[in-house]
Amino acid sequence: MKRALISVYDKTGIVDFAKGLESLGWEIVSTGGTYRLLRENGVEAVEIDQVTGFPEILDGRVKTLNPLIHGGILFRRDLDSHRSVVDSMGIVPIDIVINNLYPFEETVSRTDATQNEIIENIDIGGPSMIRAAAKNYRDVTVIVDPADYGTVLAELRMNGVTTLETRTALARKAFSLTAFYDALIAGYFNESQGVSFPELLALPYRKRDSLRYGENPHQRAAFYIESNKLSGTIAGAKQLHGKALSFNNINDANGAIALIKEFDEPAVVAIKHANPCGVGSALTLLEAFEKAYSADPESIFGGIVALNGEVTGQIAEKLKEIFLEIIIAPSFSNEALDILTAKKNLRLLTVEGLMNAEPRRLQLKQVQGGLLLQDSNQQLLGEEMPSVTKRFPDDSEIEDLLFAWKVAKHISSNGVVLAKNKMTVGIGLGEVNRFWAVEEAIKRSGDRAPGSVLASDGFFPFRDSLKALAAAGVTAVIQPGGSVKDEEVIEEADENGIAMLFTGIRHFRH
């Protein structure tokens, strides 16, 4: 008689699976709550201590860690030396192991979970059994996902055994689960001790979607998400309408969400290729949208729009006139949904906690052969923001400078932002020369540069940018400072009546 060991926390479908095994003549060995459930439902299961001759101890911490269990799982059926050992010791082979671990992920995600609860939900025996069975996949079938019960039963009914191909696939899933599980636990201990950059790094991500392709059609892609902390993120977004998100959609939407979080008053952000093309802020969301659209009515075509308030019918009427890929908001009114869902392919996303502060997390950037990690860029300004020129910016200019500075934080370096009346009027970004970025911003602003202000994500290395800004009629500048040429740049600003603030902090984004 073949033997299966069943010990599961998630009991979805386990009774039917066990009954299926039993009908095929399998003996069921089980533990604790799983054993009781099976017996209550008529499965003639054998309790684990009847096999080991040793009771569960330490409140269930030790029950399957026993040679009679692990020997039955790990012995190689093709080795006479192994077979003679298990025969001499009375060890019965275990041919299927079904286990899916204590709910550590769910427990650690709960805000009310105590440290003791978290620690007690670290499974020890489960991963040991799973890894043993997965290691011996040539002889043993390991199941960690209830979705695989049907496949295994079908093969057993047809052939009496599972195929090597199936056992190999199940072993892959098993090792992925234990690696993910251990990464969660390591992450908990790192976070609880304030360790952001541990000596050994394991990151737990779960696949949410297979994507049609990556940045380009010849690249394969998938979307993986963190196990928790999804509020206020693209990973936690709810799609109300439209076709599936693409790789570029997700990346661009992520940028839109990050930028919209910078604003407290009503604001609208238009994103194209992960960079803002138009941003507006005002007393009402409708006015903010009109500013964002007017900032660059051409580039917004085919872009993404994020709003930090509910999309009303009035705003929806404006939005429907533009070809957009995605609209992101905390909510949509019923009238707005009626209007926007008429556009078949337009994706509508709601993000719970859209305006919550960005949680402290690590940013990852892969390089060939390695991975760069850094804290997320959450600080907007330095400790002080001195005016370094003879003329101090007036209240209106300061308001626009801070607006432009928020946008500059989210554009590709070298980058500068021209703004007026809390609306972007020209953006120069992704240049290898800051003067070129300034030139591009002025060029794109058209006749709107006079009276505008400029934010630069890095310092000015020369006074040439200030000359160009003065010629264009720009009245104030905000920049990090810190160049060896700062005095010359300030002198140029003073000669042209330009007010300038130093932030003491830069916002490179590569």
Side-chain angles (χ1 to χ4, degrees), residues 230-265:
L230 300 185
S231 177
T233 71
I234 182 58
K238 180 180 179 182
Q239 185 166 351
L240 305 181
H241 179 71
K243 58 185 180 180
L245 296 174
S246 70
F247 183 100
N248 291 329
N249 288 156
I250 294 168
N251 187 52
D252 290 353
N254 180 65
I257 291 169
L259 177 49
I260 202 69
K261 284 179 178 291
E262 298 286 354
F263 298 94
D264 295 322
E265 73 172 357

Side-chain angles (χ1 to χ4, degrees), residues 39-293:
R39 293 289 293 188
E40 288 167 4
N41 284 274
V43 177
E44 293 296 325
V46 176
E47 198 161 13
I48 194 80
D49 59 10
Q50 292 180 258
V51 175
T52 63
F54 202 92
E56 293 184 13
I57 62 171
L58 306 179
D59 299 319
R61 282 190 169 200
V62 179
K63 50 192 172 188
T64 59
L65 298 171
N66 188 288
L68 293 173
I69 300 301
H70 285 269
I73 297 171
L74 279 165
F75 94 88
R76 287 179 54 180
R77 278 65 164 170
D78 62 329
L79 292 182
D80 290 340
S81 59
H82 280 206
R83 187 168 293 280
S84 65
V85 169
V86 299
D87 286 347
S88 67
M89 299 184 70
I91 296 174
V92 178
I94 295 174
D95 302 292
I96 293 181
V97 171
I98 306 99
N99 192 290
N100 50 40
L101 306 180
Y102 293 165
F104 180 85
E105 181 179 8
E106 292 82 351
T107 305
V108 80
S109 298
R110 281 175 30 220
T111 56
D112 63 341
T114 65
Q115 185 181 28
N116 185 62
E117 284 181 287
I118 292 170
I119 298 304
E120 288 307 312
N121 275 282
I122 297 176
D123 204 325
I124 301 300
S128 299
M129 283 192 294
I130 290 170
R131 287 171 57 82
K135 176 176 180 175
N136 208 23
Y137 70 93
R138 291 188 177 277
D139 298 311
V140 180
T141 302
V142 58
I143 307 174
V144 296
D145 184 352
D148 294 316
Y149 293 161
T151 299
V152 170
L153 275 180
E155 289 190 8
L156 292 176
R157 285 170 179 150
M158 181 175 293
N159 307 314
V161 295
T162 54
T163 65
L164 178 59
E165 182 181 11
T166 293
R167 294 195 297 277
T168 305
L170 293 174
R172 177 195 63 78
K173 289 183 73 170
F175 281 122
S176 294
L177 174 64
T178 56
F180 176 83
Y181 195 78
D182 283 340
L184 287 170
I185 296 168
Y188 165 72
F189 278 98
N190 284 330
E191 185 173 347
S192 65
Q193 294 192 342
V195 178
S196 296
F197 306 104
E199 301 85 352
L200 299 173
L201 180 67
L203 300 173
Y205 284 85
R206 174 179 282 107
K207 183 178 176 182
R208 195 180 84 171
D209 295 306
S210 294
L211 304 177
R212 287 177 59 203
Y213 53 82
E215 282 185 288
N216 300 290
H218 62 276
Q219 295 172 272
R220 296 185 300 164
F223 183 29
Y224 286 79
I225 63 174
E226 294 181 80
S227 62
N228 52 27
K229 297 181 182 176
L230 300 185
S231 177
T233 71
I234 182 58
K238 180 180 179 182
Q239 185 166 351
L240 305 181
H241 179 71
K243 58 185 180 180
L245 296 174
S246 70
F247 183 100
N248 291 329
N249 288 156
I250 294 168
N251 187 52
D252 290 353
N254 180 65
I257 291 169
L259 177 49
I260 202 69
K261 284 179 178 291
E262 298 286 354
F263 298 94
D264 295 322
E265 73 172 357
V268 176
V269 170
I271 294 285
K272 194 74 171 289
H273 298 297
N275 279 293
C277 59
V279 183
S281 180
L283 295 177
T284 70
L285 203 60
L286 179 60
E287 185 184 357
F289 165 74
E290 289 171 342
K291 287 182 177 182
Y293 175 74

Side-chain angles (χ1 to χ4, degrees), residues 275-349:
N275 279 293
C277 59
V279 183
S281 180
L283 295 177
T284 70
L285 203 60
L286 179 60
E287 185 184 357
F289 165 74
E290 289 171 342
K291 287 182 177 182
Y293 175 74
S294 299
D296 191 343
E298 292 183 4
S299 296
I300 196 174
F301 183 87
I304 291 174
V305 169
L307 309 91
N308 62 1
E310 181 173 79
V311 177
T312 62
Q314 189 178 19
I315 296 172
E317 288 287 357
K318 300 279 188 180
L319 289 167
K320 79 170 186 179
E321 299 302 321
I322 315 165
F323 169 61
L324 297 171
E325 291 279 356
I326 303 173
I327 300 172
I328 304 167
S331 60
F332 294 79
S333 72
N334 290 333
E335 183 184 3
L337 287 175
D338 288 341
I339 294 167
L340 296 173
T341 53
K343 304 188 79 167
K344 179 181 176 182
N345 293 324
L346 176 61
R347 303 160 176 91
L348 304 179
L349 303 181

